[in-house]
Amino acid sequence: MTVVNETSRRRAGILLPVFSLPGSRGIGTLGAAARQFIDLLADHDQQIWQILPLCPPGYGGSPYSSYSTHAGNTLFIDLDQLLKAGWLTPEELESLDWGADPRKVDYAALEASSQAALRKAFARCPNFQTDPDYLSFAKRSFWLEDYAMFRAIKQSQGGKSWIDWPEPLRNRNPEALHQIGNELAAEIAFYRFGQWIFDRQWDDLHAYAQKRGVKILGDIPIYVSLDSVDTWVNPALFQLGKDKRPLFIAGVPPDGFSAAGQVWGNPLYNWPKHRDTSFEWWTRRVEVQLKRVDMLRIDHFRGLESYFAIPSEADSAAEGHWEQGPGIEFFRVLSERLGGLPFVLEDLGYLTDEVRRLREDTGLPGLQLIQFAFDSREPANYWPFEMPRNSVVYTGTHDNDTLRGWFASLSEKDQELARTYTASQSVPEADLPEVFVTLALTSVADTCIIPMADYLGLDSSGRINTPAKADGNWSWRMTAADLTAAPWEAIGELTRISGRGAVTP
């Protein structure tokens, strides 16, 4: 099996979702602020920018519950570039509601305004489908037609899930699809247009990052949403009944952080069918993402060894059970077909010897969390002195609280343990993030990635996601002042003296 170990030397990076970038129109975009962030990373020895999935978000703005594994999030489109192209006017953009709080994404306002702006631009480009650049994009995007049709039909059906569409459309009857394709031709073209613009802008931004020596670490959610083009087009690849509804759904059992466990609701894979097709769907999925980013974080890696199956009619996760996943065969086939796996494995959560063995067999780096080392609710071993070199260390991930929020939530006993270990008994609580950031950067782990909110020393207001919480996630943003006021010189110096810079002492 071929492994492309992108974390085999000491390096540092920063975790910051695209939506968290500053900007004047409700959400971070692929525009000037993104390039400014890349410049700051490059100028201060940060060699990795970790983002979250780039796919269109589902309920509550979650990028882990998307309408498509392949499509791009058009909310990230930089409208200033469309303004310069003459496809929008300043007055049109100023008349739209982008939300009142510059530190929070208001998805309700944003969705409406972004769609309105993009539709105006689309109306001014009636011949875009003859553009050579679009034709090239469409030719290499095998998923585009299914996605555009799915979104157009969903729009015409009042936003209903595809399993509630009329039977001929739900079951993809060819005659019904041909007819609806003609009826919704303009709407289908609109969704093609949005994906083309996203692709152009993302490719330009990615090329800029590569030029500056910054690698993009992307993210591939292990599961897909039930209400997605993926399940609509490929129902046989999922554990669905004759009515196309899930037989079992994904989640995790009760643990120290959630007494009831978590019910995610995603349909589970029909792994025997994936094996029969030599993991073709997965191979194409990973291939698409590796054309967009340099490395991929594989979400919920332990689900590839064994996964938690909850009956779809169950009242809680406690009624679930474990089933065997595809294991090392999955990685071997992907390696043979793609020629190398630049993966980082998100191996957090309930770990067994079998999960650890699978990670070791892949030769790929797993994750280490500073927060978990001092949290008695986490049973696994995350002591910094026992971290393997072939790993990626974080203070916390996007699913964790910020360092300040986390420390405040600890028991007195755990707080005392953390302070004793780091000799920080006299350090004010507001200054503790620097202590734990230093501990991560100076660890033996080859790669260290710090969430931007921890460099900013934010409390829980800077948290990105709280698992099992239905709303209020995926919305934290920096302001332009935050971006420039971050301790960049200190970040660069600490990166270099910990042996992670381009030039080390």
Side-chain angles (χ1 to χ4, degrees):
M1 184 171 69
T2 304
V3 171
V4 180
N5 196 338
E6 291 279 3
T7 64
S8 60
R9 60 185 178 84
R10 289 181 69 78
R11 295 190 298 183
I14 292 179
L15 165 61
L16 183 73
V18 173
F19 61 74
S20 295
L21 287 163
S24 60
R25 297 196 181 93
I27 195 169
T29 72
L30 309 180
R35 283 170 171 73
Q36 182 186 6
F37 183 66
I38 289 169
D39 286 339
L40 288 166
L41 291 173
D43 292 344
H44 297 92
D45 282 286
Q46 304 304 295
Q47 298 168 59
I48 299 171
W49 176 14
Q50 181 174 349
I51 58 174
L52 299 187
L54 290 168
C55 49
Y59 175 77
S62 173
Y64 293 89
S65 180
S66 176
Y67 295 132
S68 169
T69 62
H70 301 303
N73 184 356
T74 55
L75 296 176
F76 293 162
I77 288 175
D78 176 27
L79 298 177
D80 284 335
Q81 294 183 44
L82 307 190
L83 191 69
K84 291 177 182 177
W87 298 349
L88 292 170
T89 68
E91 294 75 21
E92 288 169 339
L93 292 178
E94 290 168 7
S95 69
L96 297 170
D97 177 13
W98 302 104
D101 187 348
R103 296 187 184 275
K104 291 288 182 183
V105 179
D106 180 341
Y107 281 102
L110 179 66
E111 286 277 2
S113 295
S114 177
Q115 279 272 312
L118 201 54
R119 287 183 183 278
K120 288 182 182 295
F122 168 68
R124 294 188 176 112
C125 299
N127 300 317
F128 81 93
Q129 292 179 97
T130 63
D131 188 302
D133 184 73
Y134 170 80
L135 293 173
S136 174
F137 162 68
K139 183 177 180 179
R140 67 178 183 268
S141 302
F142 65 89
W143 49 268
L144 181 63
E145 288 306 301
D146 284 333
Y147 174 74
M149 179 170 284
F150 175 85
R151 292 301 303 271
I153 296 174
K154 187 175 179 64
Q155 179 80 8
S156 73
Q157 293 292 315
K160 290 180 183 177
S161 170
W162 69 267
I163 59 175
D164 295 319
W165 293 353
E167 187 273 339
L169 295 177
R170 182 173 68 249
N171 292 330
R172 293 179 55 81
N173 176 279
E175 291 183 6
L177 292 182
H178 179 75
Q179 180 178 343
I180 201 75
N182 290 331
E183 293 174 1
L184 301 178
E187 191 71 2
I188 291 170
F190 168 70
Y191 285 104
R192 293 187 193 120
F193 175 77
Q195 289 304 305
W196 174 50
I197 298 300
F198 173 89
D199 187 77
R200 282 175 49 170
Q201 292 194 2
W202 176 259
D203 281 355
D204 286 347
L205 184 66
H206 187 201
Y208 186 79
Q210 290 177 319
K211 181 179 179 181
R212 293 299 328 259
V214 174
K215 291 186 178 293
I216 306 292
L217 172 54
D219 196 307
I220 191 162
I222 186 170
Y223 294 122
V224 304
S225 174
L226 174 62
D227 187 20
S228 69
V229 64
D230 305 286
T231 52
W232 180 53
V233 173
N234 307 287
L237 297 179
F238 301 89
Q239 295 185 33
L240 305 180
K242 291 182 179 179
D243 61 356
K244 304 294 177 71
R245 297 179 186 275
L247 301 172
F248 293 90
I249 53 179
V252 290
D255 59 20
F257 293 90
S258 176
Q262 298 175 35
V263 179
W264 298 338
N266 308 78
L268 295 173
Y269 294 109
N270 179 354
W271 284 118
K273 185 67 173 179
H274 283 272
R275 286 192 180 95
D276 290 345
T277 59
S278 298
F279 300 100
E280 174 68 18
W281 181 87
W282 268 99
T283 301
R284 298 181 88 180
R285 181 184 187 189
V286 171
E287 189 174 32
V288 168
Q289 295 308 313
L290 288 179
K291 289 178 180 176
R292 287 183 174 155
V293 300
D294 305 294
M295 305 145 57
L296 271 177
R297 170 189 177 272
I298 303 300
D299 174 56
H300 196 59
F301 159 75
R302 72 103 54 244
L304 295 171
E305 190 283 320
S306 56
Y307 58 90
F308 200 62
I310 304 169
S312 58
E313 71 277 5
D315 294 326
S316 74
E319 299 180 48
H321 64 278
W322 291 99
E323 292 280 352
Q324 193 64 43
I328 194 64
E329 180 186 3
F330 173 88
F331 292 93
R332 284 177 178 156
V333 172
L334 262 63
S335 175
E336 290 169 2
R337 301 189 68 179
L338 298 175
L341 304 178
F343 291 168
V344 170
L345 306 179
E346 190 273 288
D347 56 346
L348 305 174
Y350 177 69
L351 302 184
T352 63
D353 290 341
E354 291 79 10
V355 176
R356 296 185 184 94
R357 191 175 305 118
L358 177 60
R359 182 192 62 211
E360 292 168 2
D361 288 346
T362 68
L364 294 162
L367 271 55
Q368 301 289 316
L369 264 63
I370 294 296
Q371 289 188 18
F372 283 179
F374 307 107
D375 198 321
S376 58
R377 294 169 292 183
E378 172 53 55
N381 179 7
Y382 289 92
W383 287 110
F385 61 84
E386 293 191 2
M387 290 179 182
R389 290 187 181 277
N390 185 28
S391 64
V392 183
V393 61
Y394 295 77
T395 48
T397 72
H398 64 271
D399 284 331
N400 297 106
D401 206 341
T402 62
L403 281 170
R404 282 184 61 188
W406 160 76
F407 191 84
S409 75
L410 291 179
S411 67
E412 290 185 13
K413 184 178 179 180
D414 285 350
Q415 287 186 353
E416 182 59 28
L417 171 64
R419 283 187 177 275
T420 300
Y421 188 96
T422 57
S424 59
Q425 290 91 338
S426 61
V427 176
E429 196 164 309
D431 296 333
L432 281 174
E434 185 176 354
V435 172
F436 295 111
V437 166
T438 301
L439 186 61
L441 280 164
T442 56
S443 73
V444 299
D446 285 328
T447 299
C448 177
I449 296 178
I450 306 296
M452 192 68 209
D454 284 343
Y455 273 133
L456 293 170
L458 299 182
D459 59 18
S460 296
S461 64
R463 183 166 187 166
I464 295 170
N465 178 50
T466 303
K469 182 184 175 187
D471 51 24
N473 295 318
W474 321 109
S475 61
W476 171 72
R477 298 185 66 207
M478 289 192 300
T479 64
D482 293 331
L483 184 58
T484 55
W488 288 107
E489 295 306 317
I491 290 170
E493 181 181 15
L494 186 54
T495 298
R496 289 186 289 273
I497 64 175
S498 60
R500 300 184 185 277
V503 179
T504 57

